[in-house]
Amino acid sequence: MMKKKAMFLVKRRPLPMVAAIVDYNPETGRKGRVLVSEPIAEHFGNEDLIAAARRLVPQVPDRLVILPIGVDL
C-alpha cells in the first residue's frame, strides 16, 4: 500500500510563523490540514528549514513528505 502524501512548508501568518507538514493531494494540488508544526523565525534561512524538517518529518512516519528544493534530510 502506498503512503499518503504530505508537504513541508512555511505558513506565513501573523506571528508566529510556523514550519508545518500538511496533507497534500498531488492530483489536485490541494493542501489540507496541518499534521505537525513548530514556530520558525520570521527571517529564516535554509539551515533553519532543514533543521525544522529533520524534527518534523519523523513525526509523520505514515506519510511520504514532499520537501522544497534545497531542503534535504
Side-chain angles (χ1 to χ4, degrees):
M1 181 177 203
M2 292 185 65
K3 289 184 175 183
K4 290 185 177 182
K5 294 197 168 135
M7 181 178 284
F8 176 83
L9 50 81
V10 173
K11 290 184 118 353
R12 297 179 184 272
R13 56 170 71 166
L15 296 177
M17 290 191 352
V18 295
I21 296 179
V22 299
D23 275 331
Y24 177 66
N25 183 334
E27 291 152 10
T28 63
R30 186 170 186 184
K31 298 172 192 110
R33 68 184 172 94
V34 174
L35 301 170
V36 292
S37 67
E38 69 176 42
I40 193 165
E42 185 175 348
H43 302 288
F44 57 87
N46 202 47
E47 308 82 33
D48 301 315
L49 291 178
I50 292 168
R54 287 183 177 160
R55 288 188 295 273
L56 293 175
V57 169
Q59 295 181 42
V60 287
D62 59 329
R63 300 280 202 257
L64 175 62
V65 180
I66 299 167
L67 299 171
I69 294 172
V71 175
D72 297 319
L73 301 180

